[in-house]
Amino acid sequence: RKEVEQDPGPFNVPEGATVAFNCTYSNSASQSFFWYRQDCRKEPKLLMSVYSSGNEDGRFTAQLNRASQYISLLIRDSKLSDSATYLCVVSLTSNTGKLIFGQGTTLQVKP
Amino acid sequence: ETGVTQSPTHLIKTRGQQVTLRCSSQSGHNTVSWYQQALGQGPQFIFQYYREEENGRGNFPPRFSGLQFPNYSSELNVNALELDDSALYLCASSSGTGKNIQYFGAGTRLSVL
């Protein structure tokens, strides 16, 4: 079983749509959770950290369910510029240590 | 931008050769991690350096080695290159505190022929 699992997609949605991505992680001792965004042939960039209470940044909402070991990302009012690969990321430790990445979910927003 | 710089941006080598990749961390960061990303996959952890000491290693053979310097910049060395080593190599720096947020450089794209 992979440590972090995501549906690779692709998700093809029209502009203005709401789209949700999910991921699951296998290690219940995981401490930190993130969504990174990666454009084609570029480096991953931090989109947002994910907290148990849920957090929102503009059109983006992230949720963490520790009991189910499940992380979600909701994008509202999709823009063409949201087209990218979204990586679900987990860290077993705070402060230092490796990041464990899912395979990534590809989103294509069409006009 | 993240302030993490990597060199070179692209590299072509032949099987059996050796390569050194370089990374300068963001100002104030003492932790550098290296990742390998194959096409269509998420990045895979190679190893991490914290204050010049190795602080964890992923499932990579010993021919992958590294170093961190007193200014916290880092090198990744790969010996006896194999075709499967062709990938994007990413360096990430972090402060060593907080929630382990890591900031990535633009990567080095290595092709092994």
Side-chain angles (χ1 to χ4, degrees):
Chain A
R1 182 184 172 190
K2 290 182 181 177
E3 294 179 277
V4 178
E5 295 205 57
Q6 293 181 252
D7 178 352
F11 285 59
N12 294 299
V13 303
E15 269 187 293
T18 296
V19 61
F21 304 140
N22 306 313
C23 94
T24 57
Y25 59 96
S26 61
N27 193 325
S28 60
S30 299
Q31 297 288 323
S32 300
F33 308 88
F34 311 97
W35 284 100
Y36 276 74
R37 169 194 169 129
Q38 187 171 29
D39 293 296
C40 188
R41 300 179 73 84
K42 301 280 191 181
E43 74 273 24
K45 292 184 178 177
L46 179 68
L47 180 66
M48 56 199 305
S49 300
V50 189
Y51 304 106
S52 297
S53 54
N55 48 300
E56 188 173 307
D57 183 2
R59 298 181 292 108
F60 298 84
T61 301
Q63 291 277 355
L64 167 65
N65 184 321
R66 284 187 180 269
S68 303
Q69 295 176 210
Y70 173 95
I71 306 165
S72 66
L73 177 68
L74 183 77
I75 305 175
R76 292 181 300 279
D77 188 22
S78 298
K79 311 289 185 194
L80 295 176
S81 57
D82 294 335
S83 298
T85 295
Y86 291 83
L87 296 159
C88 179
V89 184
V90 167
S91 174
L92 298 181
T93 56
S94 297
N95 301 330
T96 61
K98 68 178 181 180
L99 297 181
I100 305 168
F101 286 80
Q103 180 182 358
T105 299
T106 299
L107 171 65
Q108 185 68 43
V109 181
K110 303 213 181 264
Chain B
E1 297 302 324
T2 63
V4 181
T5 58
Q6 292 187 244
S7 62
T9 54
H10 295 85
L11 207 48
I12 299 174
K13 292 285 189 178
T14 55
R15 198 168 42 181
Q17 285 190 308
Q18 178 265 342
V19 68
T20 297
L21 310 182
R22 295 181 174 82
C23 172
S24 294
S25 59
Q26 186 177 126
S27 177
H29 284 184
N30 56 20
T31 305
V32 171
S33 307
W34 286 92
Y35 295 83
Q36 180 195 67
Q37 187 175 24
L39 207 58
Q41 301 298 316
Q44 297 293 313
F45 176 73
I46 303 175
F47 43 59
Q48 183 180 81
Y49 283 86
Y50 172 63
R51 294 184 174 179
E52 302 180 62
E53 297 288 329
E54 188 177 288
N55 183 47
R57 186 179 182 92
N59 189 25
F60 281 81
R63 59 191 185 82
F64 285 78
S65 63
L67 199 55
Q68 188 178 34
F69 299 99
N71 66 355
Y72 302 130
S73 65
S74 178
E75 284 184 356
L76 164 64
N77 298 290
V78 187
N79 293 322
L81 284 167
E82 300 178 0
L83 298 179
D84 284 349
D85 295 334
S86 296
L88 179 66
Y89 288 85
L90 294 160
C91 165
S93 80
S94 52
S95 64
T97 61
K99 296 186 83 61
N100 195 20
I101 295 175
Q102 298 184 14
Y103 298 93
F104 286 82
T108 294
R109 193 164 298 278
L110 173 64
S111 298
V112 182
L113 306 178

